[in-house]
Amino acid sequence: MENELIFGQYAHVAGTFDLSAKSGTIDYVTPIKTAQRAAEAPTGTIHLIGESDDQKRLFDQVVHPQRNSCAPNAAQGTFEAVIPVNPSLGSIRLEIDGKIAAVFRRGQKVPAASLSLGPPDPARPHRVMVNAPPSQVAIEGVTYTVQAKPGDSETWQTLAVGLPVPHTSLDVNQFPGAKSVEVRVLQSDGFFEEQIFQETKHF
């Protein structure tokens, strides 16, 4: 049933396509736990194919192309898709007319580095740093999300997403009247996400 919400392990995939050149990109892959059940997929030439690390095909999903309303039959456009994920999923590839246009491989997550909340910046006292150690390096396919919530709230607010390293700043002015802010960092390999840091900052 279209518009029905489904729950589980999924990833949101976005990218571009060029039907004439049979090329395209996978711009980002983000884990999600709630998705909208898609309408029955039409036949088409743009596919997302999921495979395990040993090249076992796990799914072959037709992509719904998105084009400018002024050029509904344009060869170029963008796409968004929701794909199922499981621990066996190692990569997805974008195929156009059977030709591989782009590949995303699951990032190899590493043990969490020693993160910390720094003191306010003297030049900008309303800013508090989320610090990663100098040894922290970017790893292909691995990104970080930083979220925060005031002490009297149950709702996390996303401050930064898609960070190659977990280093950013927190603007405490976003939480007027709060006496504390809880901060957490999530690490993603594209298909799965886990919390690697959580700390409370008191004012």
Side-chain angles (χ1 to χ4, degrees):
M1 180 185 298
E2 193 175 355
N3 298 325
E4 178 188 358
L5 289 179
I6 52 178
F7 303 90
Q9 294 288 348
Y10 301 93
H12 177 228
V13 185
T16 65
F17 65 87
D18 185 328
L19 298 179
S20 297
K22 295 182 174 55
S23 64
T25 62
I26 296 175
D27 293 333
Y28 69 84
V29 182
T30 306
I32 57 175
K33 294 186 180 294
T34 304
Q36 184 172 305
R37 189 182 299 278
E40 185 175 346
T43 57
T45 59
I46 310 172
H47 291 244
L48 281 174
I49 297 170
E51 290 188 333
S52 62
D53 288 332
D54 58 0
Q55 282 74 57
K56 179 182 178 181
R57 182 170 295 197
L58 303 177
F59 62 81
D60 182 343
Q61 184 169 314
V62 177
V63 169
H64 296 259
Q66 300 173 345
R67 298 178 173 92
N68 190 301
S69 59
C70 297
N73 298 311
Q76 298 178 337
T78 62
F79 72 86
E80 291 187 53
V82 173
I83 60 169
V85 301
N86 63 54
S88 298
L89 184 60
S91 66
I92 55 174
R93 68 175 183 266
L94 176 67
E95 286 195 1
I96 300 176
D97 281 336
K99 179 181 177 182
I100 298 175
V103 177
F104 173 87
R105 291 183 174 83
R106 184 176 181 178
Q108 298 299 311
K109 292 196 288 190
V110 295
S114 180
L115 306 181
S116 64
L117 289 182
D121 183 340
R124 300 181 300 170
H126 62 288
R127 291 262 176 197
V128 174
M129 296 302 300
V130 179
N131 292 320
S135 59
Q136 181 86 38
V137 296
I139 298 175
E140 185 176 0
V142 175
T143 60
Y144 299 86
T145 296
V146 178
Q147 298 179 325
K149 65 178 181 178
D152 59 352
S153 174
E154 296 298 323
T155 303
W156 291 98
Q157 298 182 32
T158 298
L159 306 179
V161 65
L163 297 174
V165 294
H167 183 78
T168 189
S169 63
L170 163 69
D171 184 350
V172 298
N173 288 340
Q174 291 180 252
F175 310 100
K179 296 183 179 179
S180 65
V181 172
E182 198 169 356
V183 179
R184 71 178 182 182
V185 177
L186 309 176
Q187 184 188 67
S188 167
D189 63 7
F191 301 145
F192 292 94
E193 193 170 56
E194 64 177 337
Q195 180 176 302
I196 61 168
F197 173 79
Q198 185 168 338
E199 189 172 313
T200 300
K201 192 75 173 180
H202 295 274
F203 307 136

